[in-house]
Amino acid sequence: MTQTTLFLTAVRRRVRPSRSLPFLVVGLLLALLLVFFVLPVIWLLLAPSKTAGEVVRDNPLSFGSFHQIGTAWRHLFAFQDGAMTTWLRNSAIYSGGSLVLTLAVSVPAGYALALTKFRGRKTLLTITLVTMIMPQATLVLPIFLELNRFHLIGTIWSVILPFSFYPFGVYLVYIYFGSSLPRDLLSAARIDGCTEWQLFARIALPLAKPVVGLVAFFSFVGNWNNFFLPYLVLPNSDQFPVQVGLNQLLTSTPSFNPVAGAGLNVTIPELALAILIAILPVLVLFVFSQRTLVSGMLAGSSKE
């Protein structure tokens, strides 16, 4: 009995290192993720609490003072007579206006593609899918030429109209209505005398709230973070959204642009604070819409 116990103990000792190897690999991967992703975010959160000199000299993960945060706030919103406030307002107008148009177009279009039969339906689906997988940068030149043709460059519509073009939203709604909407319910409503518009407005649309919320979230986040198109079509600083404004703020920071004016009071803490303010609306929206996002992501995963 004693020999058997010793044998089993020896076997367990030999097996344990092999079992601990995957945990070691996972631990190393988590450590790498911590270094490359989490630590920069922590540094970004702490940078506004220090002066530009303290950012360079002190411990990168040390906290400065709340007084310095207030100083960075005043310097940031005093930049170009309150340009940061103007950029945030422009982003809200561009993202909000395009979101309304996106929902007004994407939801009915996805419903029509999923539940109606007409000539050219498959062609439209193919074009929507191909456009959806194309990189956005490939469409910037034709969109710019089209906007220039209609003399819209430099206007609010040069941003809102292209932002409203959202084929991913159309295809997402199409998948939901094509797989999750009960056909028996629609048939019963038609027997009761509902028109196609009443079917959409009173039955299909209330049931599609999760996927509509998902489309709204992705559309708003994509439009809020879009940089390339507004940078090309908006010539004036007072028209910039916040993402393009951050680029101008970056070029006004002496640490990144040696020829920038030294009296602008724009340094690394102000730039870090501007980045945090720019991502705050998206973060708040994500926190308060998690349940809707999860419901929308699961919508269409099963077919009744």
Side-chain angles (χ1 to χ4, degrees):
M1 188 68 180
T2 304
Q3 293 179 352
T4 304
T5 304
L6 292 175
F7 175 75
L8 292 176
T9 303
V11 171
R12 289 174 183 174
R13 289 177 179 175
R14 292 183 179 180
V15 171
R16 282 177 184 174
S18 61
R19 289 183 178 179
S20 63
L21 183 60
F23 295 101
L24 180 60
V25 173
V26 172
L28 290 175
L29 290 177
L30 291 177
L32 290 175
L33 291 176
L34 177 67
V35 171
F36 285 101
F37 295 101
V38 180
L39 292 183
V41 174
I42 297 176
W43 179 91
L44 185 65
L45 292 172
L46 296 174
S49 68
K50 294 179 282 189
T51 64
E54 291 173 343
V55 169
V56 178
R57 296 191 309 267
D58 295 355
N59 185 347
L61 301 181
S62 63
F63 180 80
S65 65
F66 290 103
H67 174 73
Q68 177 56 33
I69 295 177
T71 302
W73 181 280
R74 290 193 299 271
H75 290 169
L76 175 62
F77 282 90
F79 175 73
Q80 293 184 355
D81 297 326
M84 188 68 184
T85 303
T86 303
W87 297 337
L88 290 170
R89 183 177 66 247
N90 291 340
S91 289
I93 293 173
Y94 299 151
S95 301
S98 60
L99 175 60
V100 173
L101 291 179
T102 296
L103 295 179
V105 174
S106 298
V107 178
Y111 176 84
L113 289 172
L115 298 176
T116 59
K117 305 293 183 181
F118 56 90
R119 182 176 297 178
R121 174 175 172 271
K122 291 185 178 180
T123 303
L124 280 177
L125 282 174
T126 303
I127 294 175
T128 302
L129 181 60
V130 171
T131 308
M132 181 182 69
I133 63 179
M134 290 177 61
Q136 292 184 355
T138 60
L139 299 176
V140 169
L141 179 59
I143 289 176
F144 180 86
L145 295 176
E146 186 176 7
L147 292 172
N148 187 54
R149 176 67 177 175
F150 290 97
H151 306 288
L152 294 177
I153 297 296
T155 67
I156 187 175
W157 298 109
S158 65
V159 179
I160 290 181
L161 290 179
F163 278 3
S164 304
F165 179 70
Y166 196 48
F168 175 72
V170 176
Y171 205 77
L172 196 62
V173 176
Y174 160 76
I175 292 175
Y176 173 80
F177 282 132
S179 59
S180 298
L181 191 62
R183 299 300 188 273
D184 295 340
L185 182 61
L186 298 179
S187 300
R190 289 190 180 97
I191 293 174
D192 291 338
C194 285
T195 62
E196 290 299 324
W197 171 252
Q198 291 174 334
L199 285 175
F200 171 72
R202 298 183 181 181
I203 298 177
L205 193 57
L207 293 175
K209 286 182 180 180
V211 74
V212 171
L214 189 65
V215 172
F217 176 80
F218 284 144
S219 174
F220 181 86
V221 172
N223 295 336
W224 184 273
N225 293 328
N226 198 311
F227 168 83
F228 195 29
L229 181 66
Y231 179 76
L232 291 179
V233 300
L234 297 176
N236 300 322
S237 175
D238 57 353
Q239 297 176 308
F240 288 167
V242 67
Q243 304 301 334
V244 182
L246 288 177
N247 180 70
Q248 183 169 342
L249 194 66
L250 180 66
T251 58
S252 302
T253 304
S255 301
F256 297 95
N257 185 10
V259 299
L264 293 177
N265 290 326
V266 178
T267 56
I268 294 178
E270 284 77 18
L271 185 60
L273 182 61
I275 295 172
L276 293 175
I277 294 174
I279 65 176
L280 185 61
V282 175
L283 180 62
V284 173
L285 180 64
F286 176 77
V287 169
F288 286 98
S289 60
Q290 289 187 49
R291 181 175 300 180
T292 301
L293 292 177
V294 173
S295 301
M297 290 177 182
L298 295 178
S301 60
S302 61
K303 184 175 181 180
E304 296 182 358

